[in-house]
Every structure is written in C-alpha cells, then in structure tokens.
Amino acid sequence: MLDDFDRRVLRHWQSDPSLSPAELAERCASTSGKVARRIARMQETGIIEGICAVIDWAALGYSVEVSLRVTLDKTQPRAFDDFIAAARDVPEVTEIQTFLGRVDVRLNIIARDMPHYQDIYRRRILTLPHIADIEALMQIAQIKAEEALPL
C-alpha cells in the first residue's frame, strides 16, 4: 500500500506539517511535483485524513481536563446511540471513545476551572441518557501525546 517514498514523505511531514511540497521534496531528495502527487493520492485513499491545528487549551484558559469512564444501562436497546448523540452536543466534550468491557464510553471534558467543571458535570453530563455508572479521572499531567506513527 505504501512504498518507501510514501513513508519518507509521511515521516518528514509528521515531524513538520508546515512543510510545503517543495520543502518536503528537498528533504526527500525528489521533485515537488512527485511529492504533491503522492500527497494527493494518500489524501484520496484516506491515508491522510486531513491537516489540523493543535490548540493549547490551557493557553485559552481551560486548565481542567477530566476523563469520564461511563458504563451504560445496556438493558435499553438504544443506550449507545442515544448517549453518544447527546454527548456530541456538549461543547466541552473534546473526545468520545467506545470500548468493550466494563466501561462502555470514555468522554474527555475540558473546563476553565473546577467550578466550571462542576457546572458542566451537573448540568450537562449527569443529564445524558442511560448512564448506569460514571467514574471521573482528573488529568494531572500529560506525559506523552504523540500523533505521529513510527514510519
């Protein structure tokens, strides 16, 4: 699916997504046209899903991050669908993951401070449908957050 040249392009682009095709071509010892065609092909095939800006939430005043592990009432036939649809509407939910096992869903929540988090939790989270159990894990420090693959 990927050849060595594709991997080289991705490796350099992952390390610095601001590189233009010409700069990538220089680092990959190729032409900018070839690099641009490879990037376009990887975008068309879904290997490259998009390019995004990484925002430092703390710099914008969001100093609290909490991970909520939620177990749903699975006796309800639409528990997952209803819960996920409602959770998507909470602006402070930055991530939703589903799991197999005791925990069904993990929500990542950001808040400005603890009173703001308590308000979100009481008014928005506890009103989500089909919750059987919920456990909060407050993030103390982020040690590693790596999006790059070892190519």
Side-chain angles (χ1 to χ4, degrees), residues 92 118-128:
E92 296 84 4
Q118 288 176 325
D119 182 59
I120 295 165
Y121 185 76
R122 289 179 182 149
R123 288 186 326 103
R124 305 297 301 270
I125 301 303
L126 291 179
T127 61
L128 294 173

Side-chain angles (χ1 to χ4, degrees), residues 29-41:
S30 184
T31 66
S32 59
K34 182 177 180 182
V35 168
R37 285 189 299 277
R38 292 298 182 103
I39 288 172
R41 188 190 66 180

Side-chain angles (χ1 to χ4, degrees), residues 7-65:
R7 285 187 191 84
R8 195 170 344 135
V9 169
L10 288 174
R11 189 171 39 250
H12 287 292
W13 210 18
Q14 282 184 141
S15 68
D16 187 356
S18 68
L19 293 174
S20 68
E23 293 166 322
L24 276 171
E26 185 177 317
R27 292 189 184 189
C28 295
S30 184
T31 66
S32 59
K34 182 177 180 182
V35 168
R37 285 189 299 277
R38 292 298 182 103
I39 288 172
R41 188 190 66 180
M42 288 187 279
Q43 288 172 326
E44 290 167 5
T45 59
I47 293 169
I48 298 172
E49 293 181 343
I51 303 166
C52 66
V54 178
I55 298 168
D56 180 354
W57 296 109
L60 295 175
Y62 289 84
S63 61
V64 173
E65 186 170 349

Side-chain angles (χ1 to χ4, degrees), residues 73-122:
D73 177 4
K74 291 178 277 300
T75 64
Q76 302 297 316
R78 294 196 35 85
F80 274 89
D81 295 336
D82 292 348
F83 178 87
I84 290 169
R88 285 179 191 267
D89 291 337
V90 178
E92 296 84 4
V93 172
T94 61
E95 187 174 2
I96 302 171
Q97 296 177 334
T98 60
F99 296 94
L100 292 175
R102 192 183 72 75
V103 172
D104 296 311
V105 180
R106 188 187 71 79
L107 302 177
N108 196 62
I109 312 288
I110 58 167
R112 291 184 299 276
D113 50 31
M114 284 308 293
H116 183 222
Y117 169 72
Q118 288 176 325
D119 182 59
I120 295 165
Y121 185 76
R122 289 179 182 149

